[in-house]
Amino acid sequence: MEWQRLPGLADYAATLWAMEDRVAAIAAGTAPEAIWLLEHPPLYTAGTSARAEDLTAPGRFPVHVAGRGGQYTYHGPGQRVVYVMLDLNARGRDVRRFVCALEDWVIATLAEFNIRGERRPGRVGVWVTRPEKPPLPDGTAREDKIAAIGIKLRRWVSFHGLAINVEPDLSHFDGIVPCGIRDHGVTSLVDLGLPVTMGDLDAALMATFPRVFPDRLAACPA
C-alpha cells in the first residue's frame, strides 16, 4: 500500500486525471494500491444520482461532474478527502462489502477521538447523533453527517472514496442538499468541540486501516 499526502489545495480535475492513470496502472499490475490524502479548493461535485434541484446555489462554487456514485457533495479546505485505490479482484469483488468497509474505517477512525460514528440504513456515509440540538418535528433526534462516501469501480479497482469534515466552513454546504438528504445537517470534528488537526486525522486513518482492510473484505453487518 502506498500512502501519499498531497500538499496545498489539489486541483480537482487534475487530481481526477492522475487518479484515472493510477487506477489503470493498478489494474494492469504495474503499480501498487494507493491512498491519497488531500484537500481541494471550494467546489461541489455531482455524482451519478445527482438531481438538479439539489444544487441550490449553482453560481457559488465550481461544479464538477465526478462520475462516482452518490449525489451532490462539497469539498473544500478543512475537509480531508481520501481517495482510495484498492484492487477488489484480490480483496473480494463485493461492492456492498467495500462500502461497508469504508464506513467501518471512518467509524474506527472517529473512535480514536472518542466520537461515536454510526451508519444508517439507506444513507451511505457516517453520522453523529446530536442530542443537544432540538429534535426533528416527529420527535426523533437530529443527526449530522460527518463523512461522505462515493466510489467508482473500473475492472474492480476502486477510485474516489470518502471525505471527512475536520474544520471546513460548514456554511459552504448550504449551496447544495448534501447527498440529497434534507432532514439532517453536517458537522465536523471541530464543530463537535475537538481541536483535531489534519495530521491527527491522517495518523488515525493510517492506524485503523489495517484493522478494517485485511486481505479479504469482511461481511457487512446485518
Side-chain angles (χ1 to χ4, degrees):
M1 174 63 62
E2 178 183 285
W3 293 80
Q4 186 174 358
R5 186 183 290 115
L6 280 64
L9 299 178
D11 178 81
Y12 187 79
T15 305
L16 259 59
W17 279 111
M19 186 162 45
E20 293 263 2
D21 288 344
R22 183 55 177 262
V23 165
I26 294 170
T30 59
E33 295 177 316
I35 294 177
W36 294 350
L37 307 169
L38 59 128
E39 295 173 79
H40 285 304
L43 56 91
Y44 298 128
T45 69
T48 54
S49 301
R51 299 175 297 187
E53 63 269 24
D54 288 345
L55 180 62
T56 58
R60 188 170 185 182
F61 297 124
V63 180
H64 295 266
V65 177
R68 55 158 176 80
Q71 301 186 37
Y72 278 105
T73 193
Y74 165 78
H75 294 318
Q79 181 191 72
R80 177 51 90 209
V81 175
V82 185
Y83 287 137
V84 182
M85 290 157 274
L86 299 184
D87 185 358
L88 301 190
N89 292 290
R91 295 176 179 272
R93 295 183 175 187
D94 191 313
V95 177
R96 183 168 178 266
R97 286 189 179 192
F98 180 53
V99 172
C100 283
L102 291 174
E103 290 174 334
D104 285 342
W105 186 23
V106 175
I107 290 168
T109 298
L110 294 176
E112 297 288 295
F113 306 104
N114 297 314
I115 295 175
R116 181 181 175 86
E118 300 176 306
R119 60 166 52 90
R120 289 289 180 265
R123 288 192 256 145
V124 174
V126 177
W127 299 80
V128 177
T129 303
R130 304 301 299 272
E132 74 279 11
K133 290 186 173 183
L136 292 171
D138 64 1
T140 58
R142 289 197 178 267
E143 298 173 341
D144 286 343
K145 195 169 194 175
I146 195 167
I149 293 173
I151 64 165
K152 184 176 180 179
L153 297 173
R154 180 172 298 147
R155 295 172 60 186
W156 287 101
V157 178
S158 69
F159 52 122
H160 296 277
L162 55 94
I164 303 174
N165 297 329
V166 178
E167 193 179 7
D169 185 337
L170 295 178
S171 72
H172 288 180
F173 287 87
D174 295 343
I176 57 172
V177 178
C179 302
I181 297 170
R182 299 176 181 273
D183 295 335
H184 300 284
V186 292
T187 189
S188 69
L189 290 163
V190 171
D191 182 53
L192 293 171
L194 295 169
V196 176
T197 67
M198 285 291 179
D200 296 332
L201 181 66
D202 292 348
L205 285 165
M206 293 179 187
T208 55
F209 180 85
R211 303 179 211 160
V212 179
F213 286 93
D215 292 338
R216 300 287 293 180
L217 296 175
C220 289

